[in-house]
Amino acid sequence: MTAPNELRLLPWSGPEGKPCYLSTDDGEGYMSRLADNIEAVQLGTAAKLLEQASNKLDDQGTASEDMRRLAMDLTGALRDVLRVATSRGDLLAVSDPHCL
């Protein structure tokens, strides 16, 4: 079993927005692969939104409603990317405490 400081922060929230963690010795198990795939989708979505934001900011004719929707989407994507970065940083710290 994985030690408490080796829990993986999953890329989704539980009830009431609380973090979810995975405890496993199998980094290739179903839940680990699912988390990896969801993280990849989240990072891809963030990259697309960043490109979209750059284009809309360059366009003087972008409606304020479009900018508000984009800001909301970017906020969600940033939240997801921060969770991925936190999770990966935690995993790095556990695998090599001298790395950080």
Side-chain angles (χ1 to χ4, degrees):
M1 185 56 84
T2 307
N5 63 344
E6 295 180 29
L7 296 176
R8 177 182 179 170
L9 176 64
L10 294 172
W12 56 81
S13 297
E16 300 173 12
K18 294 182 180 180
C20 293
Y21 294 91
L22 176 63
S23 174
T24 182
D25 292 330
D26 183 7
E28 298 299 318
Y30 174 77
M31 290 301 292
S32 292
R33 289 192 322 270
L34 177 63
D36 290 343
N37 289 337
I38 290 174
E39 285 179 352
V41 169
Q42 290 172 328
L43 294 174
T45 298
K48 288 177 187 174
L49 281 169
L50 181 59
E51 182 178 339
Q52 186 180 34
S54 295
N55 292 336
K56 287 191 185 252
L57 288 170
D58 288 341
D59 181 0
Q60 296 292 330
T62 301
S64 61
E65 183 178 311
D66 289 340
M67 291 302 287
R68 179 174 165 73
R69 177 66 187 162
L70 180 60
M72 290 174 61
D73 291 344
L74 284 167
T75 300
L78 182 58
R79 185 178 299 112
D80 291 342
V81 168
L82 181 59
R83 182 182 302 270
V84 171
T86 299
S87 176
R88 292 184 181 185
D90 291 346
L91 291 174
L92 282 173
V94 168
S95 65
D96 185 2
H98 298 99
C99 180
L100 301 175

